[in-house]
């Protein structure tokens, strides 16, 4: 029985709904509680409490069952424009880690420097309920970026500006589109671009799994551990510099059959290994091994 404190049914990527579905598919009972009512979290009748970015130390102290968080964000990144954001996330970690029994983070660099012994590296995944190719429109976008540029730091902003300047009408950016609508946009693109910032060898955006879960063709910055998830050149394609990215764009825009083979292989790998069901299964395994 999992007491799940989160922003349930809030729209967007619906991560919480995807995780609830995955837990239930694996045979677990889920008691959902909105963060806005998290102050009654100590009343949940469950085996452990799971949350994401909730910040209520007082209530956490009152909860007697094991407490587990799964933090999706990159905690720190060496970009001076992100210093305030970094500090807020570091403070969250400093406040919460002493009060929990286990933590899971998508930021592998933060896990590596952890001295509490409580943290585990666990990436997000695609929503298996909706992981199907979308319907392409009659207007094909050659180059697509599906995310925000503002708020992602100087590196991401410069990436988007450079793409706009270099490719002009061939490049398109969409924001705030999710689910089936996002699947349709990705199906209507030749190449989905992932920016080179922020990303590290052990952190990348969940857009990887979302894009490939909708059978998109993805050009992604090189991340060493991403090679454990997908085969470079066969399931997605990674670049090590912007000059290499431009060469890859030129090549793959002219190679639709090659793109299609990679689309299909990336999609198959995602469905087989990288859905939220796979991630939740791993989370529950670690919880059982460490706490029960």
């Amino acid at each position: 029985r999992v007491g799940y404190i989160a922003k349930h049914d809030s729209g967007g990527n619906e991560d919480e709904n995807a995780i609830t579905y995955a837990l239930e598919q694996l045979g677990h009972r889920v008691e959902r509680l909105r963060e806005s009512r998290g102050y009654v979290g100590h009343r949940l009748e469950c085996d452990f409490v799971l949350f994401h970015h909730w910040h209520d130390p007082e209530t956490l102290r009152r909860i007697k069952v094991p407490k587990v968080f799964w933090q999706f964000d990159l905690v720190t990144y060496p970009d001076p424009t992100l210093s305030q954001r970094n500090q807020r996330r570091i403070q969250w970690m400093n406040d919460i880690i002493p009060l929990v029994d286990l933590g899971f983070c998508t930021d592998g660099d933060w896990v590596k420097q952890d001295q509490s012994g409580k943290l585990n590296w666990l990436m997000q995944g695609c929503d298996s309920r909706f992981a199907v190719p979308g319907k392409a429109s009659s207007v094909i976008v050659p180059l697509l970026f599906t995310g925000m540029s503002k708020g992602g730091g100087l590196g991401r902003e410069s990436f988007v500006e450079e793409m706009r300047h270099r490719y002009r009408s061939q490049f398109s950016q969409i924001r705030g589109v999710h689910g089936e609508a996002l699947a349709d946009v990705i199906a209507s693109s030749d190449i989905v671009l992932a920016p080179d910032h922020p990303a590290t060898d052990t952190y990348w955006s969940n857009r990887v799994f979302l894009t490939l879960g909708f059978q998109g063709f993805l050009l992604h910055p090189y991340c060493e551990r991403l090679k454990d998830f997908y085969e470079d050149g066969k399931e997605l394609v990674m670049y090590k510099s912007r000059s290499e990215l431009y060469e890859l764009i030129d090549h793959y825009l002219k190679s639709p059959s090659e793109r299609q083979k990679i689309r299909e292989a990336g999609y198959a790998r995602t469905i087989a290994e990288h859905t939220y069901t796979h991630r939740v299964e791993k989370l529950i395994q670690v919880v059982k091994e460490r706490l029960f």
Side-chain angles (χ1 to χ4, degrees), residues 19-58:
I19 291 166
T20 298
Y21 174 80
L23 285 165
E24 292 175 341
Q25 286 294 107
L26 292 169
H28 306 287
R29 197 178 88 189
V30 181
E31 297 293 334
R32 305 198 314 167
L33 181 65
R34 287 180 179 272
E35 287 184 4
S36 59
R37 287 186 47 79
Y39 57 86
V40 298
H42 62 289
R43 301 178 188 171
L44 287 167
E45 296 183 2
C46 58
D47 295 306
F48 75 93
V49 164
L50 174 68
F51 63 96
H52 297 297
H53 306 114
W54 181 49
H55 187 277
D56 187 346
E58 182 177 346

Side-chain angles (χ1 to χ4, degrees), residues 13-284:
N13 288 329
E14 293 194 330
D15 295 311
E16 294 86 354
N17 288 351
I19 291 166
T20 298
Y21 174 80
L23 285 165
E24 292 175 341
Q25 286 294 107
L26 292 169
H28 306 287
R29 197 178 88 189
V30 181
E31 297 293 334
R32 305 198 314 167
L33 181 65
R34 287 180 179 272
E35 287 184 4
S36 59
R37 287 186 47 79
Y39 57 86
V40 298
H42 62 289
R43 301 178 188 171
L44 287 167
E45 296 183 2
C46 58
D47 295 306
F48 75 93
V49 164
L50 174 68
F51 63 96
H52 297 297
H53 306 114
W54 181 49
H55 187 277
D56 187 346
E58 182 177 346
T59 299
L60 279 170
R61 292 187 185 96
R62 300 173 68 188
I63 294 174
K64 302 305 180 185
V65 298
K67 292 157 282 192
V68 178
F69 72 73
W70 187 3
Q71 226 273 7
F72 295 152
D73 292 332
L74 186 65
V75 180
T76 63
Y77 193 75
D79 180 332
T81 65
L82 298 176
S83 60
Q84 290 186 349
R85 189 196 74 176
N86 292 345
Q87 287 305 312
R88 287 193 300 271
R89 293 178 179 179
I90 291 170
Q91 187 61 56
W92 186 93
M93 287 289 185
N94 290 340
D95 290 346
I96 300 303
I97 288 175
L99 303 176
V100 301
D101 299 276
L102 276 180
F104 294 84
C105 303
T106 58
D107 184 347
D109 296 309
W110 185 258
V111 173
K112 283 188 288 187
Q113 60 86 51
D114 170 56
Q115 297 184 5
S116 72
K118 298 178 180 180
L119 300 188
N120 304 268
W121 186 45
L122 184 66
M123 299 305 291
Q124 294 174 256
C126 77
D127 186 342
S128 56
R129 298 172 301 166
F130 308 118
V132 294
K135 299 176 182 177
S137 72
S138 58
V139 179
I140 300 299
V141 175
L143 303 172
L144 176 68
F145 169 52
T146 62
M148 304 287 289
S149 49
K150 296 294 183 182
L154 286 176
R156 186 187 294 180
E157 290 180 21
S158 75
F159 177 90
V160 172
E161 287 306 310
E162 198 163 316
M163 295 303 109
R164 289 189 193 282
H165 178 75
R166 185 179 185 92
Y167 294 103
R168 300 188 183 278
S169 61
Q170 287 187 296
F171 175 78
S172 180
Q173 177 185 10
I174 64 162
R175 300 173 290 275
V177 176
H178 308 287
E180 292 182 4
L182 179 60
D184 292 345
V185 171
I186 288 173
S188 304
S189 70
D190 289 330
I191 297 173
V192 179
L193 300 174
D196 47 13
H197 294 277
T200 76
D201 282 336
T202 54
Y203 173 83
W204 49 87
S205 168
N206 196 41
R207 282 190 294 271
V208 171
F209 305 115
L210 294 175
T211 299
L212 299 184
F214 290 140
Q215 203 180 97
F217 174 82
L218 181 65
L219 290 183
H220 194 277
Y222 182 85
C223 298
E224 180 66 27
R225 291 297 302 276
L226 185 54
K227 295 190 298 184
D228 297 337
F229 292 73
Y230 294 103
E231 188 170 354
D232 185 17
K234 292 190 175 180
E235 295 166 333
L236 52 60
V237 178
M238 291 192 272
Y239 63 90
K240 291 186 176 180
S241 65
R242 292 191 186 178
S243 60
E244 183 181 16
L245 172 62
Y246 304 145
E247 293 175 4
L248 291 169
I249 288 172
D250 291 343
H251 170 76
Y252 284 107
L253 283 178
K254 300 172 185 175
S255 309
S257 60
E258 195 174 353
R259 289 199 314 266
Q260 186 61 27
K261 286 178 63 176
I262 294 172
R263 279 180 184 264
E264 293 173 358
Y267 175 71
R269 181 77 178 269
T270 302
I271 299 306
E273 299 181 19
H274 302 310
T275 69
Y276 266 121
T277 302
H278 297 102
R279 302 295 187 255
V280 167
E281 190 171 29
K282 177 64 176 178
L283 183 148
I284 293 294

